[in-house]
Amino acid sequence: MKIHFREKYGRGEETLYVKPTDSLNVVQVNLKGEIPVARRSFSLVQLFKNIFLPKGYPDSVSVDYMSYQKWDTVQAFCSTITGALCTHAILKGVGVGNDTASALSATVTWILKDGTGHLGKILFAWWKGSELDMDSKKWRLRADILNDIAMTAEVFVLPYYPQYSTYILCATSTVKGIVGVAGGATRAALTLHHALRNNLADVSSKDSAQETCVNLVASFVGLAILTHVQNPNTLTFLFFLFTCLHIVANVRAVKSVCLRTFNEARYLIALEEYFKTGNILSPDRVNQLERITVGQTVSLTQRLHMGGTAKALIETYPNTYDLESIVSLYDPRDLFIVAEVKNYLAVYFHIDIRPTDVLKAYFFAASYLQDKTKIRDFYWEVQNKWSDFLSLAQGQGWNMSAHLLPVDEYRLIWRI
């Protein structure tokens, strides 16, 4: 028997295409040498996978994809139900069913509500847009919590103060505008993390299909609740129940994500362990230690400015000799300069800086802030440590060709 081809579809069973010794035709057999029986039956499971999962799953997505999607499905289900209860409260608040309310007043309220929501989106994108990549997990969770806060205000404040409905809805719509920007942007960042085969559009579309299906089912559940449950206390209990489940599911979803690119929080957790023990924590362990609510485990943001302007450097070291001595300290191959400026440590980047060099510069600055030795005295020692750290980090699976560190946009050229 001569084997012509060996074939696999994803992680499925291997198939052989062979020419038996007693035949002139090539036939398809499994590893046991048996000819597979043609499957004519309809596979509902396979249809479900084709509709809701990216092509090539699970090899085409990250290993944390399914654990994230399970909890994301739960939170979407809860969010839709609380949204239905919230819509019911809003319509009562703007006067639906009230003979004294006019269509014009309700329309004006609705337009003002949408307008402030749009304004909130614009202002938040300007204020915090650059942080959404750096702390995507944190802002993903914050977005959903803010949304719950806004809906809670609409459910428990609006019905009791209908005369202030316009002001209340404008305030909550502004918050929901922030939620729309933060939630959408961070969802895109997490989708990019899950897409391993440049299949961002496929993963995103399947995620949208999953959420649409969940929202459809949850909408009917919410409708059934509003139709059959008339007791306000019971509706209040259900709202709180699904809101709590929504928060818990979001926390579990975000905690299940294992990002392999360093932001400041993850990088400092890894550096802290390396400086103490000489070892590198795995991405799984660092992601577990990273805070996803408020604050960071460790932070150098207040004492370190990455990508600063030369103006501050010249103001601090107006003497030409001092400037030249700072530059001459570094290897010509280095694309950064670290110097103490005023009350903080500044890192200046060459115009040809690369992501790995940015990580190296941060490593250098963090080492200096840790022991406060003069930069000139420990420069080459840190160079050797960086080579060791880089090798260990790559061995643990960290992506050292990209970063999510807070970096300003100034770039310099020196040794002109």
Side-chain angles (χ1 to χ4, degrees), residues 340 367-379 381:
E340 289 193 58
S367 301
Y368 172 75
L369 290 172
Q370 184 193 33
D371 58 24
K372 281 293 182 179
T373 306
K374 289 185 178 180
I375 293 176
R376 186 181 299 277
D377 295 339
F378 83 132
Y379 173 74
E381 179 186 348

Side-chain angles (χ1 to χ4, degrees), residues 81 107 153 215 243 286 288 291 330 412:
I81 293 179
T107 302
N215 289 342
T243 299
V286 170
Q288 290 173 3
R291 290 183 182 175
Y330 294 86
L412 312 178

Side-chain angles (χ1 to χ4, degrees), residues 235-248:
L235 289 175
T236 299
F237 170 77
L238 290 174
F239 180 84
F240 270 121
L241 174 64
F242 283 107
T243 299
C244 292
L245 289 174
H246 179 245
I247 294 174
V248 170

Side-chain angles (χ1 to χ4, degrees), residues 110-179:
W110 214 262
I111 292 174
L112 290 174
K113 175 184 80 72
D114 289 345
T116 53
H118 298 324
L119 182 61
K121 289 181 180 181
I122 295 170
L123 293 177
F124 180 76
W126 162 70
W127 180 40
K128 291 290 185 180
S130 61
E131 292 187 16
L132 300 180
D133 279 309
M134 293 185 287
D135 286 314
S136 56
K137 293 198 293 184
K138 186 178 291 185
W139 278 108
R140 178 77 179 87
L141 181 60
R142 285 176 178 175
D144 283 291
I145 292 176
L146 283 173
N147 191 53
D148 288 337
I149 292 173
M151 289 196 294
T152 301
E154 290 170 344
V155 169
F156 294 103
V157 179
L158 189 60
Y160 299 101
Y161 299 96
Q163 67 273 26
Y164 301 116
S165 60
T166 301
Y167 304 106
I168 296 170
L169 287 174
C170 286
T172 57
S173 294
T174 302
V175 174
K176 289 183 178 180
I178 294 173
V179 170

Side-chain angles (χ1 to χ4, degrees), residues 51-299:
I51 294 174
F52 295 110
L53 296 176
K55 185 177 181 180
Y57 171 85
D59 300 305
S60 60
V61 292
S62 59
V63 294
D64 56 3
Y65 174 80
M66 184 51 68
S67 58
Y68 171 80
Q69 290 301 130
K70 287 190 299 185
W71 288 110
D72 190 53
T73 298
V74 174
Q75 72 85 18
F77 181 85
C78 296
S79 180
T80 301
I81 293 179
T82 54
L85 299 175
C86 181
T87 301
H88 179 258
I90 291 175
L91 293 176
K92 288 178 63 178
V94 298
V96 174
N98 186 350
D99 294 335
T100 62
S102 67
L104 178 61
S105 63
T107 302
V108 170
T109 298
W110 214 262
I111 292 174
L112 290 174
K113 175 184 80 72
D114 289 345
T116 53
H118 298 324
L119 182 61
K121 289 181 180 181
I122 295 170
L123 293 177
F124 180 76
W126 162 70
W127 180 40
K128 291 290 185 180
S130 61
E131 292 187 16
L132 300 180
D133 279 309
M134 293 185 287
D135 286 314
S136 56
K137 293 198 293 184
K138 186 178 291 185
W139 278 108
R140 178 77 179 87
L141 181 60
R142 285 176 178 175
D144 283 291
I145 292 176
L146 283 173
N147 191 53
D148 288 337
I149 292 173
M151 289 196 294
T152 301
E154 290 170 344
V155 169
F156 294 103
V157 179
L158 189 60
Y160 299 101
Y161 299 96
Q163 67 273 26
Y164 301 116
S165 60
T166 301
Y167 304 106
I168 296 170
L169 287 174
C170 286
T172 57
S173 294
T174 302
V175 174
K176 289 183 178 180
I178 294 173
V179 170
V181 174
T186 53
R187 180 178 290 275
L190 295 180
T191 301
L192 180 63
H193 158 70
H194 289 137
L196 294 184
R197 294 182 178 174
N198 293 322
N199 55 341
L200 177 62
D202 185 27
V203 175
S204 180
S205 63
K206 297 303 169 58
D207 179 60
S208 178
Q210 295 170 26
E211 186 164 358
T212 302
C213 180
V214 171
N215 289 342
L216 180 63
V217 174
S219 295
F220 285 113
V221 174
L223 181 62
I225 291 173
L226 290 172
T227 303
H228 296 93
V229 179
Q230 303 298 326
N231 189 323
N233 292 331
T234 304
L235 289 175
T236 299
F237 170 77
L238 290 174
F239 180 84
F240 270 121
L241 174 64
F242 283 107
T243 299
C244 292
L245 289 174
H246 179 245
I247 294 174
V248 170
N250 270 293
V251 171
R252 296 296 297 270
V254 172
K255 290 290 287 185
S256 69
V257 176
C258 179
L259 298 177
R260 297 179 179 273
T261 303
F262 282 124
N263 64 355
E264 187 180 37
R266 291 189 290 274
Y267 201 22
L268 286 173
I269 292 170
L271 289 178
E272 189 176 49
E273 178 67 20
Y274 177 75
F275 292 149
K276 285 181 179 178
T277 66
N279 297 319
I280 299 292
L281 295 174
S282 67
D284 285 337
R285 182 57 181 155
V286 170
N287 277 267
Q288 290 173 3
L289 294 173
E290 180 187 12
R291 290 183 182 175
I292 59 171
T293 50
V294 294
Q296 293 181 175
T297 308
V298 283
S299 177

